Amino acid sequence: MTEKITAEDVQKVANLARLDLPEEQISTYSAQLEKIITYVAQLEEIDTTGVPPTTRAVEVTNVSREDQVLSSPVREELLSLAPERQEDFFRVPKILSD
Amino acid sequence: MPATIAEWEAVIGLETHVQLGTESKIFTGASTSFGDNPNTHIDPVVCGLPGTLPVLNKKVLEYAVKAALALNLNIAEHSKFDRKQYFYPDLPKNYQISQFDQPIAEEGWIDVEVAEKGKDTYVKKIGIERLHMEEDAGKLVHAGSDRLAGSTYSLVDYNRAGVALAEIVSKPDLRTGREAAEYASEIRRIMRYLGVSDGNMQEGSLRCDVNISVRRGPKAPFGTKVEIKNMNSFSAIQKACEYEISRQIKAYESGEPVIQETRLWDEGKQLTKSMRSKEGSSDYRYFPDPDLGPIEVTEELREAWRNELPELPAAKRIRYVEELSLSSYDARVLTDELSMASYFEDVVKAGAAAKLASNWITGDIAAYVNANKLNFTELPFSPKDLAEMIKLISSGKISGKIAKEILPELLKAGGSPEKIIDERGLGMISDPSTLSDMVDELMVDYPKEVEAFRGGKKKLQGFFVGQLMKITSGKADPKLANQILLKKLLG
């Protein structure tokens, strides 16, 4: 059985993700998160005795490329995608609150 | 009983970030070139746009494994990349691709020679916990204030984001600021020997974070650990450690707590100061990066790379002392840069005596190379020609003084010293009858001085040697000239 998702769990995750979650939405999200977790928890029903742990399903190793410089043709567009830009810089709001 | 300063012991560990000198970034083809306009080297992978796929740069793996082998680390057969989540604008993706629980290498050590003025030089084995690969972050410029805290906004340059780094974590084996600085400088030296990094601290290709605590003697439990950042030279590492050690001891002795925090070294004020935490939580929630497949380093590949490693500085230092009978000081100076060590070895191979070669190379030649910002490999004066010059001096064909005179043009244009000596008639005058005639003439020219000498002013022999050198433009064989002079002066 999976553990209950508490209001504190939701607050913590929201905080780590820098989300300002209104109080009234917390119960909605804890219910939804719990559903997701319960759904995924079905995997625990499978007997994995003797199966080595892995981080992926496809057995491909050492996918790599040569050390070759390729300039991107979309630099301008990338800079323009930013909510704020100052000449060649991305501009972001102040980082620390006073 | 209160503890005295002498009872305190510092426990220091270093985290060193070494920029691996590849042309392109770790997971994409954007250039790693330094000093270009902001955001010149960005692309959709660097910016972490949805749908982009990072692919590992082969050279990064090779450099990381070679660096790890040189640090005597065990190379992991299986390794992987993980995502380290944190929110800060220096990372466009909101996570850094790093390695968490399966780093490419673990458990190694290096021998560090610790030399300090007025103290005995000693060699200490420093443990290395691990080496892992990761991507660098971008650079922030805080605007509206010279301090981060007061700035109204920040500007971000992602040229450095995604540049390949090797993070090397030492064990807490260092005990003094000097040991920390020597360890860092040995790491840099090794990376430069391997050619995997230029180790340029000013440009940020080698950065050290120090973890430091103090305790009452070697058996006491560790004290509270403080992290120090922002040192951009080895002497800054030493001074920052020394400052921090005395700050922490003073705090404990006056009953104040030492808190776990990050402090910044202020080079101008020569002190560390508390840095406000950039993030309240350090819950990085690592998980395997699903975009990047696992890495396997077979024994075959590992050994092939091991065979490509050059002789490392510590081995050279030992060999120079044991086989070439140099002092440990000379060995240390000569092996600091691989190009200098190779030049020296070539001179010795060409037949010059090691000590004489060392003197010329670490003296006049190094001064010239440094003053002109050259590398020994670019020097027109070849090791073979230097060996020839040293042999001319040893055999008595030219004096050291003449060698010094022709050296500047040899350094600039190269060429055979013997040829120059012959063409210009700079060879030493070592024919006894020629020198004898010259001494006779001098004694006629300076009768008063001859008189004074014979009256007891023996120091005047130097005056006659000087005169003789003046007439011969320094070419008189000094040993022979002195013999003849003394004999004639004594009458």
Side-chain angles (χ1 to χ4, degrees), chain A:
Chain A
M1 258 322 281
T2 51
E3 276 175 47
K4 203 155 172 58
I5 302 290
T6 64
E8 287 79 60
D9 292 332
V10 176
Q11 271 300 2
K12 189 189 171 193
V13 173
N15 193 35
L16 286 169
R18 300 292 182 270
L19 292 174
D20 193 7
L21 217 53
E23 198 68 38
E24 64 272 19
Q25 286 184 18
I26 290 181
S27 60
T28 317
Y29 282 115
S30 49
Q32 287 182 356
L33 278 171
E34 203 167 305
K35 265 190 189 164
I36 295 167
I37 302 275
T38 313
Y39 176 69
V40 178
Q42 290 180 69
L43 288 171
E44 288 174 1
E45 291 165 19
I46 304 163
D47 182 9
T48 55
T49 326
V51 180
T54 180
T55 53
R56 64 203 69 242
V58 190
E59 285 303 313
V60 193
T61 57
N62 294 5
V63 177
S64 59
R65 39 169 271 273
E66 297 299 327
D67 180 23
Q68 218 162 41
V69 172
L70 286 168
S71 297
S72 171
V74 295
R75 173 191 183 249
E76 245 329 287
E77 282 146 275
L78 287 168
L79 274 162
S80 308
L81 277 175
E84 266 194 285
R85 152 179 192 180
Q86 184 170 317
E87 289 160 21
D88 285 339
F89 284 105
F90 292 99
R91 182 175 161 147
V92 296
K94 71 171 171 184
I95 293 155
L96 290 174
S97 48
D98 295 312

Side-chain angles (χ1 to χ4, degrees), chain B residues 56-106:
Chain B
L56 177 64
N57 182 339
K58 265 183 193 170
K59 209 83 194 168
V60 172
L61 180 63
E62 177 187 334
Y63 283 1
V65 171
K66 284 183 172 172
L69 288 169
L71 304 174
N72 302 298
L73 288 146
N74 298 320
I75 308 299
E77 254 177 272
H78 303 280
S79 176
K80 67 174 168 71
F81 284 103
D82 301 280
R83 291 185 180 180
K84 177 180 177 178
Q85 337 278 326
Y86 70 86
F87 285 79
Y88 197 66
D90 63 357
L91 275 182
K93 303 193 290 293
N94 289 339
Y95 61 84
Q96 177 192 26
I97 304 178
S98 181
Q99 296 193 284
F100 181 49
D101 56 339
Q102 289 180 32
I104 187 71
E106 288 179 284

Side-chain angles (χ1 to χ4, degrees), chain B residues 11-17 126-130 167-188 201 206-212 225 227-228 231 233-234 237-238 241:
Chain B
V11 177
I12 307 169
L14 254 65
E15 282 171 26
T16 310
H17 286 91
I126 304 299
I128 296 174
E129 186 91 34
R130 59 185 271 159
E167 180 176 334
I168 301 162
V169 183
S170 87
K171 300 210 170 191
D173 290 348
L174 302 155
R175 292 290 171 270
T176 65
R178 184 67 195 177
E179 285 183 6
E182 291 277 22
Y183 163 83
S185 113
E186 184 70 4
I187 293 279
R188 176 180 187 267
M201 291 181 94
L206 188 127
R207 307 192 285 272
C208 291
D209 299 340
V210 167
N211 285 303
I212 184 165
K225 192 167 77 178
E227 186 181 25
I228 327 172
M231 291 81 63
S233 71
F234 298 122
I237 292 173
Q238 180 172 346
C241 288

Side-chain angles (χ1 to χ4, degrees), chain B residues 241-451:
Chain B
C241 288
E242 287 165 357
Y243 176 87
E244 191 58 24
I245 292 167
S246 88
R247 186 190 72 84
Q248 291 183 17
I249 294 174
K250 270 184 209 154
Y252 283 122
E253 299 217 319
S254 59
E256 282 164 35
V258 169
I259 52 170
Q260 184 165 355
E261 59 175 346
T262 299
R263 300 176 70 89
L264 291 182
W265 171 247
D266 185 328
E267 184 68 34
K269 293 184 183 145
Q270 298 278 298
L271 49 82
T272 66
K273 52 188 182 190
S274 186
M275 181 178 117
R276 274 219 269 169
S277 169
K278 68 180 175 187
E279 193 189 359
S281 168
S282 58
D283 185 350
Y284 292 130
R285 292 153 295 147
Y286 283 98
F287 72 85
D289 192 313
D291 285 343
L292 288 154
I295 302 153
E296 269 180 39
V297 179
T298 59
E299 190 185 338
E300 197 186 357
L301 188 57
R302 184 189 70 212
E303 292 312 307
W305 281 335
R306 195 196 298 278
N307 286 332
E308 287 174 26
L309 300 185
E311 184 184 29
L312 295 169
K316 274 198 197 298
R317 287 195 296 262
I318 293 172
R319 188 163 62 83
Y320 287 8
V321 172
E322 289 182 356
E323 290 178 20
L324 301 174
S325 308
L326 294 182
S327 68
S328 69
Y329 177 81
D330 284 345
R332 189 178 158 93
V333 175
L334 283 169
T335 55
D336 191 45
E337 286 285 340
L338 180 58
S339 61
M340 193 196 238
S342 303
Y343 188 91
F344 163 75
E345 287 176 24
D346 288 343
V347 176
V348 174
K349 253 179 233 154
K355 177 63 189 163
L356 297 175
S358 166
N359 291 349
W360 282 100
I361 293 168
T362 59
D364 295 43
I365 301 180
Y368 175 82
V369 165
N370 293 335
N372 292 282
K373 296 194 168 68
L374 288 174
N375 184 300
F376 270 85
T377 52
E378 302 162 324
L379 202 59
F381 190 34
S382 75
K384 191 176 110 297
D385 293 334
L386 173 58
E388 185 179 298
M389 190 179 90
I390 292 170
K391 284 188 271 182
L392 289 172
I393 304 166
S394 302
S395 69
K397 181 156 183 190
I398 58 169
S399 62
K401 188 167 173 285
I402 293 290
K404 279 204 187 239
E405 269 169 31
I406 60 168
L407 187 64
E409 62 172 292
L410 284 169
L411 288 170
K412 225 173 273 166
S416 157
E418 186 154 33
K419 217 171 135 201
I420 293 176
I421 301 295
D422 290 346
E423 276 170 8
R424 303 194 196 159
L426 293 171
M428 200 131 69
I429 302 168
S430 43
D431 171 34
S433 71
T434 313
L435 288 172
S436 207
D437 290 349
M438 287 175 170
V439 171
D440 288 341
E441 275 175 44
L442 275 176
M443 288 172 68
V444 172
D445 290 347
Y446 298 99
K448 272 189 210 153
E449 283 76 4
V450 174
E451 194 103 339

